[in-house]
Amino acid sequence: MKKMIKLATAMVALAASVVALDAPAQGYPAKPVRWVVGYPAGGGTDFLARTAGAQLSQQIGQPVLVDNRPGAAAIIASENVARSPGDGYTVFSADNGVLVYNPVLYKKLPYDSEKDFVALGMMGRSPLIITAAPGAGFADAKALIAALKKEPGKYSIATPGAGSPHHLALELFQREAGVSLLHVPYKGGAPALQDLMGGQVPLMMLDLPSGISAVKAGKVVPLLAMSGERVPQLPQVPTAKELGFAEVEAYTWQGLVAPAATPKDIQLKLGTDLLKAMNDPAVRQKLFDAGWEARPTDAADMNRYVQSERKKWQALIASREIRID
């Protein structure tokens, strides 16, 4: 009899522990979810977050509130999320800079890209594109390459900043194409684009979400795409691979992460809801029109992709001896 009582007690305790493990997701979400973005409102990253967040809000029945915390190559936002409670009410748009470049570009970071975050899933990407000012005199990509090889170091090229995906794509292109350009890092994509359109700088490494309106208006000229295949929004623009630079492929991309302490059942729910939101036809069309390519994956695929990106780009950073501080 005593053994039966002990067994019954143990079973009750086990059942209670299972319920306790499942409890976080049962009532989740019970309040708004904060979606942190490490860049200013109105930019490409912000647009993706607000577009996906609006759909996610409909699915989970709670507001998804975008919290812009720009500055310091998204390090300010990264630290904020790393220090936030792992309760499922904070998520973060983490890009190549946050997860791949910053850990080797900076001597000290207030966050650990591998320990402080858990992946929820990939969202989208956009290839980097070499663009020119309309009066810069480059008829096409072949003319650009010829000019760069003829006069190494003569032409300047703008990027949104040192250590950005655009900067690293430039370094990869210079290495593989055997050319040399004068890198002009700006404090953000908007001022760089303004100077490109005004002719103050002849070239810019541009991500399509930041400049698609300018491209459509003819205010900048897209010359060369750093993509595996031609960009659907710019089918007339050749890829670097087409010109013989097989290793030149570079994107700016966005994945969604949460603080590492977030319960696994909530991670799974968020990841599942994110996949559904990113596969919504209306969401995909809005992103396409804004220059994004929707690339939704689950957490496991995101982790594999991030690891492959670290291997590729951290080796480039070391070989080119790039440091920010």
Side-chain angles (χ1 to χ4, degrees):
M1 187 66 172
K2 289 182 178 180
K3 288 183 178 180
M4 290 180 66
I5 292 173
K6 288 182 179 180
L7 179 59
T9 302
M11 291 179 67
V12 169
L14 177 60
S17 67
V18 171
V19 170
L21 287 172
D22 290 341
Q26 287 181 353
Y28 175 86
K31 62 180 182 178
V33 174
R34 183 174 68 112
W35 186 319
V36 179
V37 171
Y39 302 97
T45 302
D46 179 74
F47 180 85
L48 192 159
R50 291 180 188 276
T51 301
Q55 178 61 32
L56 188 63
S57 176
Q58 292 182 31
Q59 294 171 195
I60 65 176
Q62 288 286 349
V64 175
L65 307 176
V66 173
D67 181 8
N68 297 93
R69 292 177 177 264
I75 294 172
I76 292 172
S78 301
E79 181 181 14
N80 177 269
V81 175
R83 304 280 185 271
S84 295
D87 55 8
Y89 293 99
T90 296
V91 297
F92 177 37
S93 290
D95 63 1
N96 353 19
V98 170
L99 298 177
V100 177
Y101 309 148
N102 289 354
V104 291
L105 287 174
Y106 295 86
K107 292 180 181 179
K108 292 183 179 180
L109 285 177
Y111 72 94
D112 188 311
S113 64
E114 297 187 50
K115 296 179 180 179
D116 289 339
F117 309 122
V118 289
L120 300 175
M122 290 294 293
M123 295 185 292
R125 71 180 186 181
S126 175
L128 280 304
I129 302 166
I130 296 181
T131 56
F138 301 109
D140 54 29
K142 289 184 179 179
L144 170 68
I145 299 298
L148 297 182
K149 287 186 175 292
K150 183 179 179 180
E151 299 181 277
K154 175 182 177 180
Y155 297 98
S156 58
I157 183 167
T159 73
S164 64
H166 313 66
H167 174 202
L168 274 296
L170 171 61
E171 294 291 342
L172 177 64
F173 172 70
Q174 290 184 109
R175 187 187 72 181
E176 296 300 314
V179 297
S180 176
L181 294 101
L182 177 62
H183 178 213
V184 183
Y186 281 72
K187 292 184 178 180
L193 182 58
Q194 286 296 321
D195 276 4
L196 179 71
M197 292 189 294
Q200 281 78 30
V201 62
L203 298 165
M204 179 180 177
M205 188 68 77
L206 181 73
D207 63 275
L208 197 54
S210 296
I212 190 167
S213 296
V215 170
K216 288 180 177 179
K219 296 180 178 179
V220 301
V221 181
L223 295 175
L224 189 62
M226 313 277 113
S227 50
E229 299 177 350
R230 291 204 176 194
V231 182
Q233 295 93 330
L234 301 173
Q236 78 281 11
V237 178
T239 68
K241 289 187 176 184
E242 290 178 62
L243 295 186
F245 312 123
E247 299 303 316
V248 177
E249 188 170 350
Y251 303 85
T252 177
W253 50 257
Q254 295 287 333
L256 193 66
V257 303
T262 304
K264 292 188 180 299
D265 49 353
I266 291 181
Q267 293 178 36
L268 180 60
K269 176 172 173 51
L270 283 168
T272 301
D273 284 330
L274 177 68
L275 266 177
K276 183 179 178 181
M278 295 303 303
N279 278 311
D280 180 84
V283 170
R284 296 178 73 92
Q285 187 61 51
K286 287 179 182 178
L287 293 179
F288 179 86
D289 292 342
W292 285 102
E293 176 190 3
R295 300 279 294 189
T297 73
D298 63 15
D301 281 341
M302 178 177 170
N303 283 326
R304 283 189 285 269
Y305 182 69
V306 171
Q307 288 302 324
S308 69
E309 286 282 277
R310 284 175 177 153
K311 182 178 179 181
K312 172 182 176 177
W313 293 104
Q314 291 181 1
L316 175 75
I317 290 168
S319 69
R320 303 286 288 187
E321 298 182 343
I322 306 167
R323 298 290 296 185
I324 303 300
D325 65 349

